[in-house]
Amino acid sequence: QLQLLQQLQLQQRANDQLQQQLIGSAQEPADLMRTERFMLRQHTNAITCFQHDGTKIVSGADSTLKLWDVRSGLFVRDLLSNLTSVWQVRFDQRRCVAAVNRNDVTYFEVMDFGA
């Protein structure tokens, strides 16, 4: 578990660096024209956590953690539901870890995407 958390921290740093690069490059008008936008319409309230890679997006809001296909922008399925809230999500090729709350108790949910 410690190794997984360390990997997730490294991945968070890489995501932060990527976001910083994207924010910096978005100031050029030519870059703005290449922007693709997807609306995550399955959520009814503000998204509280979000992570993406080249193939999937995992987002948390409302009482759910949802999986999306990056290429199509389409909703795939709920990973978790019936939550009070979702605070954080991180995933790698195999696992997804989410910090969630159910009935005033905080949990770390670990889901296996398979090998």
Side-chain angles (χ1 to χ4, degrees):
Q1 287 178 352
L2 179 60
Q3 193 174 33
L4 177 61
L5 288 175
Q6 289 171 337
Q7 287 176 336
L8 293 173
Q9 288 173 339
L10 288 173
Q11 190 172 10
Q12 173 62 37
R13 281 189 220 124
N15 278 347
D16 291 345
Q17 290 173 350
L18 177 61
Q19 286 176 342
Q20 201 57 24
Q21 290 171 355
L22 291 173
I23 290 168
S25 68
Q27 295 176 11
E28 296 296 322
D31 289 333
L32 289 175
M33 297 177 83
R34 286 180 258 169
T35 301
E36 290 187 46
R37 294 183 181 170
F38 295 107
M39 299 189 80
L40 306 180
R41 294 184 187 270
Q42 296 290 327
H43 289 299
T44 57
N45 288 317
I47 293 171
T48 56
C49 57
F50 176 91
Q51 186 182 342
H52 64 90
D53 63 10
T55 61
K56 61 189 166 292
I57 295 171
V58 176
S59 61
D62 316 320
S63 60
T64 60
L65 188 69
K66 297 183 180 295
L67 178 65
W68 308 82
D69 181 283
V70 168
R71 292 182 183 109
S72 68
L74 297 175
F75 171 72
V76 176
R77 67 183 174 104
D78 284 334
L79 295 173
L80 296 172
S81 58
N82 300 319
L83 304 170
T84 304
S85 57
V86 185
W87 292 307
Q88 186 72 279
V89 65
R90 292 290 172 261
F91 65 83
D92 59 18
Q93 291 298 329
R94 181 166 176 166
R95 290 185 186 92
C96 179
V97 178
V100 303
N101 184 286
R102 278 193 185 100
N103 303 319
D104 294 324
V105 179
T106 299
Y107 298 91
F108 287 101
E109 295 279 354
V110 180
M111 294 151 281
D112 194 335
F113 287 137

